[in-house]
Amino acid sequence: MICQFFILSSKGDHLIYKDFRGENSSDVVRVFYEKVTALPGDQPPVVMNHKDVYFVHVKQGGLFWVVTTNSASSPFTIIDFINKLCSLVKDYCGTLSERSVQLNFALIYELLDEVVDYGYIQTTSCDVLKNFIQTEAVSSRSFSLFDLSNVALFGAETQQSKVAPSSAATRPIHQREQGKSEIFVDVVERLTVVIGANGMLMKVDVEGEIRVKCYTPRCSEMRIGLNEEFSIGRSQLRGYGAGVRVDECSFHQNVKLDEFESNRILKLCPSQGEQTVMQYQLREELPCAAPFRLFPTVERDASGRLLMYLKLRCDLPPKIAAINVEASVHVPKGSVSLSQELSSPDQSAELKPQSRVVVWSIPKVNGGTQLSALFKVDVPGLCSSSLLEVAPVGLSFEVPKWTCSGLQVRFLRLSPVQPSPGERWVRYITHSDSYTIRI
Amino acid sequence: MPYLSGEDTVKELRRALSNPNVQSDPLRYRNTITKVIRAMSQGVDVSALFPEMVKACATVDIVQKKLVYVFLCSYASLNPDLSLLVINTLRKDCQDANPMVRSLALRNMTNLRLPGLVEYVEQPLSSGLRDRAACVRRVAVLGWAKLHNLQPETETDAAVVNELYSLLRDPDPIVMVNCLRALEEVLKEEGGVAINKAIAHHLLNRLKECDVWAQSDILRILERYCPQTEGELFDILSLLDSCLICVAPPVMAATLRLFLCLCSSLPAVCHSALERACGPLLTACGSSSREMRFSALAHIQVLLGAHYKRFFCGYAEPAFIKQRKMQVLVELVNDENVSMLLDELKGYCTDVNPETAQAAISAIGRIARSYSDKCLEILTGLLGLKQEHITSAVVQTLRDLVWACPQCSDIVCTTIEGCEQIIQDAQGRQALLWLLGAHGERVPSAPYALEGFIDGVRFEGSLCVKMELLSAALRLFLCRPAEMQDMLGRLLHYCIEEESDMCVRDHALLYYRLLHCGIEETRRFVQMRRSDPGLGVLIGRPQQSINSWAQSFNTMQPLCGATTTPDTSTRGSPEHTNFYPKTNLSKELRTCQVDSTPTEEDFFCLETLIQCSLIPVDSPYSLQAALQLVNIQTMAFTPTSAIPWKFYMYTHTQPECSTKTAHGTLILAELLYSNEAPDVDEKPRDEPALMGFLSILSTVLNTVALQCENSQQGKTQLS
């Protein structure tokens, strides 16, 4: 049961406040913010309680989404609901940010009114809600010159017109004036890897999902064809083929699987907005080489400085590139300053004394290449034991146009054939925020 | 308009709202109202605009209507009289041809939360129950629950309750589940909605039509149903089996909870249900939402498994998830994975977040109780880092380890040399002092380490460290008198002459007088236990029965217990640790608790006379031992010859999971020999627990007295 719901900005401004049951005073907002700010660090626990009031919050888009409830409520339900609400707001407003929430507060109040009544969740289905929601979204995206890059010169067909602008999927679903009928199918994989000091893969987890984002008002059936060699579970390993294997796989309840066994086709009737059609996991082993390897050398030089020589090899296929790569290396306590030699000018490195890390950021790494960096860190009173503190290197990166498991969408068909040819986009991305390499 | 004060904003808005030009232009009118709502959600008090907004309510524009209703519902309680004006519009809207308008009016009519309006609302609500459109029925059904809670003392009409029951057969699934929710609230006094066989089966059959939220609510309510035959029970279980492995965590958790409730008498079924739900729970542990991951982790501790690698921490995970994962890892240790796990935990020990590092170190300490060699190697290595917070945590861990397994003490003694210069915080130093005092004879440099502490005692801020220093110095003196004599003298002199804290002074005086009695006497007195064999080898999780935690499964309880502080039992010296009451007493004392915070009023004093034969005052130790068996701890007692002889003790009840408070009750008692009347102080007030305590106490007293009589009889027979 949900007693109250509110959205706070990270600075504590009230953006949205709705009391569903009128049992607690509106004072709870202040209490919550005091509790959050009183804690050290920026990671307050998900559930906090104040007397009989339990606060459950989720941080998304830099905002606190908070529900107050009682002790008997199911945490799974509440957390899942907040996540669902976030994605609804995202669907309706286009993006999730303080600005978009501020601009669209009337819409969000309307949404809340329909989604929850007297603390009980009524429905979160986009199809049902679209009959009730009347307010138009205000798009927070400001005009940008980059949007013009898609306009072809003198109407000529350019390469760019075949590529959707990156902001295409961040618009409100019900915008009548620019109601372009589009469907985005995203294959997103999240990689969690731990590589031991000897280069062995100690832990691999791939969490993947296929997300469909639909801007088409009427779409009766959609067929997504996956790789034909797609197999689930361990027993079906087939020889040396380019098979794609996952350990576990689950589908959205609306997906019809009658052609899945034979042809690996998912059939569904997408409702407007975003939904996760399929989730899958892969454990213990990777079908390809691990995307990054690191060869570190850590030593003390004659003048008592800490020398770290890092060689980063990217084992992705040659045409694929990883972007926004960030390697953070822990350095001993008391590190004062850093001098670096990097292999190309677009890279940068920075020492963050509070969190004791050196962050090496690389905008782009092509597959099959190798980068190197030499860091000299001044640490007063460096002793041999301090070298032990140069602990794991954490990498975070994104790889567009590539999936770790090899899963691909063969085709995407809509039926009946749309009168106005809508546009269909398939995007692949693999990202990781916990790719740990032990030294 | 940030540069305008609240009052100016209100004035501005009022002018705009009452401007006829604005009123005639729907778009401008709506925009002005939007501005009002914006000011409202930013915290400006716009209640003064109530009359203008009431007027704005009468419109055909649905968006405007919705906005106005948001405003009215927020401020209705401040303007009950003016709200009466809205009722007419709302009632008219209830007759509207558009079902959306009808449901909107009905919902907001009940959301005004004004008891005075109940009489106007009842009639539209009743007709709403029979409306053609499902969305109106949904609202009307919940409306009755709102109405009931507005006037909790008035009984809801039986006809309405009957109608709600009959609406459980409504074709719309949301109407059905709303009926359940409404009945649950309306019939709260009678214990909620009555679930008979017909209703239960009806709900189960329609479960598939409902969405995630409705399913989890229905499953929660079905917990109350008890199947009449075993056959029926298994029918239900097989029907629910697909929900158990559902992708949506809320449904999976609710189903698992229902399984555990229904099969509380069939442990084998519970175990297989747990195993089956393990997969979805593990999937939730790897969910992309970190809040969901945390929630699943907090629940998965109940499931053991070979999935330990799933609990390795990710690099960018927040501290609260890392600490939770470590707690799970410790419980999963076995011979095969121990080296892998220790490698992993070792990596966390140098974490930037000191709390995570401490949690990792204490996790290694827990594992060390059964795999001491490997763990001690790691812990010793960590001391080499010479990091303040790491060293402190390691020393505390070592102290706990030595207390639990004395066989480690040799290695520990060689490693702790030189730590005294690094540790800064009081808890770490306290732990170090305890180790030096208890095992000082095997640490060559112990006296020098203590000398540093004694020289700095003048500037010592922490009371605990001073007390620990006194005991450590005295203990070390007993085994290494030559090196310690001078130092101990200086310390006692300072503490007795210059120390301002009474506690430390008394302690020093006690030791001083004790030393006067002779060295043997002192040795006998301060001879202490160096380990607690009772703790033994603790590894893995103590086997709990499922029923003990099924009640708190899928509630907020497991998530709140997950405070970020690591293992609290490792704070303070081991001898001073409170041992948790074990089985028998806590059963007695685990009773309902009165919700209150410990203020002065909650102390409760009672004087009782316990009928008991003569207590042998010359055997306080046997009494102490007997009381410890039932988890009553002794604080102090007077010398045996003193009259009246007094004996102070305390115990506490365990906080109970199902009650709202997280505190146990603390019972303090004084046993007075002269007239055999214990004085009992208690906090917070808890009658049944007290009664339980008294009955146990008198039983113990009687037993001890009986035993003593027997032994005296034996003695007389011998002589």
Side-chain angles (χ1 to χ4, degrees), chain B residues 50-61:
Chain B
F50 205 84
E52 282 79 15
M53 291 301 267
V54 170
K55 266 179 230 147
C57 181
T59 168
V60 286
D61 180 6

PDB file of all heavy atoms in Angstrom, chain B residues 50-61:
ATOM      1  N   PHE B  50      -8.931  29.537  -3.180  1.00  0.00           N
ATOM      2  CA  PHE B  50      -9.962  28.504  -3.201  1.00  0.00           C
ATOM      3  C   PHE B  50     -11.247  28.947  -3.900  1.00  0.00           C
ATOM      4  O   PHE B  50     -11.743  28.236  -4.779  1.00  0.00           O
ATOM      5  CB  PHE B  50     -10.237  28.033  -1.773  1.00  0.00           C
ATOM      6  CG  PHE B  50     -10.797  26.649  -1.692  1.00  0.00           C
ATOM      7  CD1 PHE B  50      -9.968  25.545  -1.705  1.00  0.00           C
ATOM      8  CD2 PHE B  50     -12.162  26.451  -1.608  1.00  0.00           C
ATOM      9  CE1 PHE B  50     -10.486  24.274  -1.641  1.00  0.00           C
ATOM     10  CE2 PHE B  50     -12.687  25.175  -1.551  1.00  0.00           C
ATOM     11  CZ  PHE B  50     -11.845  24.079  -1.558  1.00  0.00           C
ATOM     12  N   PRO B  51     -11.818  30.113  -3.540  1.00  0.00           N
ATOM     13  CA  PRO B  51     -13.086  30.489  -4.190  1.00  0.00           C
ATOM     14  C   PRO B  51     -12.970  30.600  -5.711  1.00  0.00           C
ATOM     15  O   PRO B  51     -13.846  30.125  -6.441  1.00  0.00           O
ATOM     16  CB  PRO B  51     -13.402  31.859  -3.584  1.00  0.00           C
ATOM     17  CG  PRO B  51     -12.554  31.988  -2.385  1.00  0.00           C
ATOM     18  CD  PRO B  51     -11.383  31.090  -2.556  1.00  0.00           C
ATOM     19  N   GLU B  52     -11.851  31.168  -6.186  1.00  0.00           N
ATOM     20  CA  GLU B  52     -11.683  31.306  -7.622  1.00  0.00           C
ATOM     21  C   GLU B  52     -11.592  29.941  -8.288  1.00  0.00           C
ATOM     22  O   GLU B  52     -12.131  29.738  -9.387  1.00  0.00           O
ATOM     23  CB  GLU B  52     -10.410  32.113  -7.945  1.00  0.00           C
ATOM     24  CG  GLU B  52     -10.544  33.609  -7.767  1.00  0.00           C
ATOM     25  CD  GLU B  52     -10.436  34.022  -6.306  1.00  0.00           C
ATOM     26  OE1 GLU B  52      -9.981  33.186  -5.495  1.00  0.00           O
ATOM     27  OE2 GLU B  52     -10.804  35.167  -5.984  1.00  0.00           O
ATOM     28  N   MET B  53     -10.913  29.017  -7.613  1.00  0.00           N
ATOM     29  CA  MET B  53     -10.736  27.696  -8.216  1.00  0.00           C
ATOM     30  C   MET B  53     -12.057  26.934  -8.237  1.00  0.00           C
ATOM     31  O   MET B  53     -12.305  26.155  -9.151  1.00  0.00           O
ATOM     32  CB  MET B  53      -9.678  26.904  -7.445  1.00  0.00           C
ATOM     33  CG  MET B  53      -8.277  27.437  -7.587  1.00  0.00           C
ATOM     34  SD  MET B  53      -7.676  27.479  -9.270  1.00  0.00           S
ATOM     35  CE  MET B  53      -6.852  25.916  -9.374  1.00  0.00           C
ATOM     36  N   VAL B  54     -12.884  27.167  -7.215  1.00  0.00           N
ATOM     37  CA  VAL B  54     -14.194  26.507  -7.209  1.00  0.00           C
ATOM     38  C   VAL B  54     -14.973  26.906  -8.461  1.00  0.00           C
ATOM     39  O   VAL B  54     -15.607  26.080  -9.118  1.00  0.00           O
ATOM     40  CB  VAL B  54     -14.975  26.865  -5.930  1.00  0.00           C
ATOM     41  CG1 VAL B  54     -16.407  26.391  -6.041  1.00  0.00           C
ATOM     42  CG2 VAL B  54     -14.312  26.249  -4.718  1.00  0.00           C
ATOM     43  N   LYS B  55     -14.856  28.193  -8.802  1.00  0.00           N
ATOM     44  CA  LYS B  55     -15.558  28.663  -9.996  1.00  0.00           C
ATOM     45  C   LYS B  55     -14.994  27.999 -11.252  1.00  0.00           C
ATOM     46  O   LYS B  55     -15.729  27.629 -12.169  1.00  0.00           O
ATOM     47  CB  LYS B  55     -15.409  30.183 -10.119  1.00  0.00           C
ATOM     48  CG  LYS B  55     -16.568  30.927  -9.481  1.00  0.00           C
ATOM     49  CD  LYS B  55     -16.351  32.414  -9.606  1.00  0.00           C
ATOM     50  CE  LYS B  55     -16.532  33.071  -8.248  1.00  0.00           C
ATOM     51  NZ  LYS B  55     -15.673  34.240  -8.052  1.00  0.00           N
ATOM     52  N   ALA B  56     -13.667  27.837 -11.274  1.00  0.00           N
ATOM     53  CA  ALA B  56     -13.016  27.272 -12.454  1.00  0.00           C
ATOM     54  C   ALA B  56     -13.385  25.817 -12.658  1.00  0.00           C
ATOM     55  O   ALA B  56     -13.142  25.248 -13.718  1.00  0.00           O
ATOM     56  CB  ALA B  56     -11.500  27.406 -12.320  1.00  0.00           C
ATOM     57  N   CYS B  57     -13.968  25.231 -11.624  1.00  0.00           N
ATOM     58  CA  CYS B  57     -14.313  23.809 -11.663  1.00  0.00           C
ATOM     59  C   CYS B  57     -15.393  23.523 -12.698  1.00  0.00           C
ATOM     60  O   CYS B  57     -15.414  22.456 -13.319  1.00  0.00           O
ATOM     61  CB  CYS B  57     -14.767  23.403 -10.280  1.00  0.00           C
ATOM     62  SG  CYS B  57     -15.196  21.714 -10.120  1.00  0.00           S
ATOM     63  N   ALA B  58     -16.316  24.501 -12.848  1.00  0.00           N
ATOM     64  CA  ALA B  58     -17.433  24.270 -13.772  1.00  0.00           C
ATOM     65  C   ALA B  58     -16.985  24.538 -15.196  1.00  0.00           C
ATOM     66  O   ALA B  58     -17.037  25.658 -15.694  1.00  0.00           O
ATOM     67  CB  ALA B  58     -18.602  25.181 -13.402  1.00  0.00           C
ATOM     68  N   THR B  59     -16.495  23.519 -15.850  1.00  0.00           N
ATOM     69  CA  THR B  59     -16.013  23.681 -17.212  1.00  0.00           C
ATOM     70  C   THR B  59     -16.182  22.372 -17.955  1.00  0.00           C
ATOM     71  O   THR B  59     -16.347  21.321 -17.340  1.00  0.00           O
ATOM     72  CB  THR B  59     -14.528  24.100 -17.219  1.00  0.00           C
ATOM     73  OG1 THR B  59     -14.021  23.980 -18.534  1.00  0.00           O
ATOM     74  CG2 THR B  59     -13.697  23.207 -16.319  1.00  0.00           C
ATOM     75  N   VAL B  60     -16.122  22.433 -19.265  1.00  0.00           N
ATOM     76  CA  VAL B  60     -16.224  21.194 -20.031  1.00  0.00           C
ATOM     77  C   VAL B  60     -14.842  20.650 -20.370  1.00  0.00           C
ATOM     78  O   VAL B  60     -14.706  19.512 -20.794  1.00  0.00           O
ATOM     79  CB  VAL B  60     -17.016  21.400 -21.344  1.00  0.00           C
ATOM     80  CG1 VAL B  60     -18.483  21.539 -21.058  1.00  0.00           C
ATOM     81  CG2 VAL B  60     -16.472  22.608 -22.098  1.00  0.00           C
ATOM     82  N   ASP B  61     -13.815  21.464 -20.157  1.00  0.00           N
ATOM     83  CA  ASP B  61     -12.448  21.059 -20.486  1.00  0.00           C
ATOM     84  C   ASP B  61     -11.943  20.065 -19.427  1.00  0.00           C
ATOM     85  O   ASP B  61     -11.781  20.405 -18.261  1.00  0.00           O
ATOM     86  CB  ASP B  61     -11.565  22.307 -20.513  1.00  0.00           C
ATOM     87  CG  ASP B  61     -10.137  21.969 -20.859  1.00  0.00           C
ATOM     88  OD1 ASP B  61      -9.888  20.788 -21.188  1.00  0.00           O
ATOM     89  OD2 ASP B  61      -9.287  22.862 -20.799  1.00  0.00           O
TER      90      ASP B  61
END
